[in-house]
Amino acid sequence: MYFKEYYPGEFFSKYIDSYFEIDSRYIIEDITDLVVPDGTFGLLFIDEKNLKRSKSINNPPITLKKSTVFGQKTKPINYYFTKGNSSAFGIKINPCGFHLFTGLTSKEFKDLFVEIDLLGNSDLLDLESKVFEANDIDKKINEVEAYILLALKKYGLDDDHFLFESIVEYIYCHRGEVRFNSLIETFNTNYKRIERLFLKYLGITPKTYIRIVRFNAAVNLHMNNKNESLTQIGLQLGFFDQSHFIRDFKKFTSLSPKSFFDKDISASEKKYLQMLSVRWSN
């Protein structure tokens, strides 16, 4: 299998959604993966030119030559994999963890990917070296988690970040079935403050994040409840009507719900759906 995923322990799961490896030696034929917004950031350590990524499904692919940070996605993109002799180690970073890897506000990375040597972050470059030196997946993960512990001491967590964490967890636990007024009432704050926190730590507005979470919840519900119609799932998650449900699917996948679930999927797309199930079962 050219794509394998791994999961952090309880403490680090607040910051890390999952780890994964890509090994092009196990690719039999060229692969195109549809990658949709899922609320996570990405960090991919690349030691060879084995991966191409398009800015959107309508853009020509760009070869990723160096280790790269990926910002929040609000639209679907494609990854292209070809057979080779190289490997990559990646991290899917939860909303609460991104600032630990960059020290920067997340709004600078929305729908962008940036090579880490352009960030001027010596700590991140040091982590890259340690990841490349580690000769197995456990050691790579240990290096990342040691980095997180040091970053927590360096950057700290203030009241703003604790509030942001609480709001993100609330939205996640409610599967995105949240009205914005309920956030204001539940957390005794105002729209401007919530929006400012989300733009700083997530790079997107809270309303956009709510839509992404609800879309991912819909995908997971359908994958685990084949007997329920898409209409029933949409109603469960608070979509106003079927057209609203379809509109969000097209925004995040470029496909209708039916076309998305009927498409042939690659091995790594299948793994993504399995990762999504793990995320929602926790």
Side-chain angles (χ1 to χ4, degrees):
M1 175 62 67
Y2 69 93
F3 185 95
K4 294 181 180 179
E5 78 285 4
Y6 308 85
Y7 297 96
E10 183 177 354
F11 176 82
F12 291 102
S13 64
K14 177 185 290 188
Y15 310 107
I16 302 296
D17 175 81
S18 55
Y19 305 98
F20 60 90
E21 287 183 302
I22 301 169
D23 193 330
S24 65
R25 293 173 298 176
Y26 296 101
I27 295 175
I28 299 173
E29 58 185 8
D30 290 355
I31 298 165
T32 299
D33 280 355
L34 174 65
V35 180
V36 300
D38 66 356
T40 65
F41 298 91
L43 178 55
L44 189 64
F45 295 101
I46 302 171
D47 60 359
E48 293 288 346
K49 304 174 185 178
N50 72 319
L51 174 67
K52 292 184 177 181
R53 178 189 195 270
S54 60
K55 291 184 178 179
S56 75
I57 59 171
N58 298 315
N59 290 116
I62 297 172
T63 301
L64 299 179
K65 301 178 181 179
K66 297 182 179 180
S67 299
T68 303
V69 168
F70 300 83
Q72 279 292 322
K73 296 184 294 294
T74 63
K75 53 191 175 183
I77 57 173
N78 284 325
Y79 285 166
Y80 304 89
F81 302 94
T82 58
K83 185 172 179 59
N85 295 302
S86 57
S87 62
F89 169 68
I91 312 170
K92 291 177 72 66
I93 305 170
N94 281 328
C96 298
F98 185 69
H99 77 294
L100 300 176
F101 288 90
T102 66
L104 301 172
T105 61
S106 301
K107 63 183 178 182
E108 300 167 13
F109 295 90
K110 175 186 170 184
D111 287 318
L112 295 177
F113 54 99
V114 181
E115 293 177 356
I116 67 171
D117 56 3
L118 299 177
L119 300 179
N121 187 322
S122 59
D123 293 337
L124 195 55
L125 292 173
D126 185 51
L127 174 61
E128 178 190 41
S129 297
K130 290 178 179 178
V131 165
F132 287 156
E133 290 169 4
N135 54 18
D136 64 50
I137 185 63
D138 289 333
K139 290 180 180 178
K140 293 180 190 293
I141 291 173
N142 287 341
E143 291 293 352
V144 173
E145 294 181 348
Y147 175 93
I148 290 173
L149 292 176
L150 290 174
L152 284 169
K153 293 180 181 178
K154 179 177 180 178
Y155 295 115
L157 299 176
D158 58 18
D159 289 343
D160 273 358
H161 195 273
F162 284 123
L163 176 59
F164 170 73
E165 286 184 6
S166 298
I167 296 173
V168 165
E169 183 178 4
Y170 182 88
I171 293 170
Y172 184 81
C173 290
H174 286 78
R175 303 184 302 182
E177 191 183 351
V178 175
R179 298 290 174 262
F180 203 84
N181 284 343
S182 70
L183 294 180
I184 294 172
E185 294 171 1
T186 300
F187 295 96
N188 192 28
T189 186
N190 57 68
Y191 173 85
K192 286 296 184 183
R193 187 182 185 196
I194 295 175
E195 184 177 59
R196 176 178 60 80
L197 292 177
F198 271 71
L199 291 174
K200 177 181 179 180
Y201 292 116
L202 201 57
I204 55 178
T205 67
K207 290 182 179 179
T208 299
Y209 181 67
I210 287 169
R211 291 177 66 191
I212 289 172
V213 170
R214 185 164 55 173
F215 156 72
N216 279 267
V219 172
N220 184 61
L221 277 173
H222 180 73
M223 296 303 297
N224 290 286
N225 297 276
K226 296 291 187 180
N227 293 329
E228 289 194 4
S229 69
L230 292 171
T231 299
Q232 289 173 313
I233 289 173
L235 291 173
Q236 276 190 59
L237 294 173
F239 285 93
F240 297 123
D241 52 41
Q242 188 70 357
S243 63
H244 184 205
F245 185 55
I246 293 171
R247 187 166 63 250
D248 270 16
F249 254 80
K250 286 187 173 179
K251 175 177 174 57
F252 295 133
T253 70
S254 77
L255 301 169
S256 69
K258 186 177 187 306
S259 297
F260 177 76
F261 289 117
D262 287 348
K263 73 185 289 290
D264 292 330
I265 62 174
S266 69
S268 50
E269 286 176 324
K270 184 177 181 179
K271 284 291 184 182
Y272 163 74
L273 294 174
Q274 291 172 350
M275 290 163 73
L276 191 65
S277 292
V278 169
R279 187 185 307 166
W280 285 100
S281 65
N282 292 333

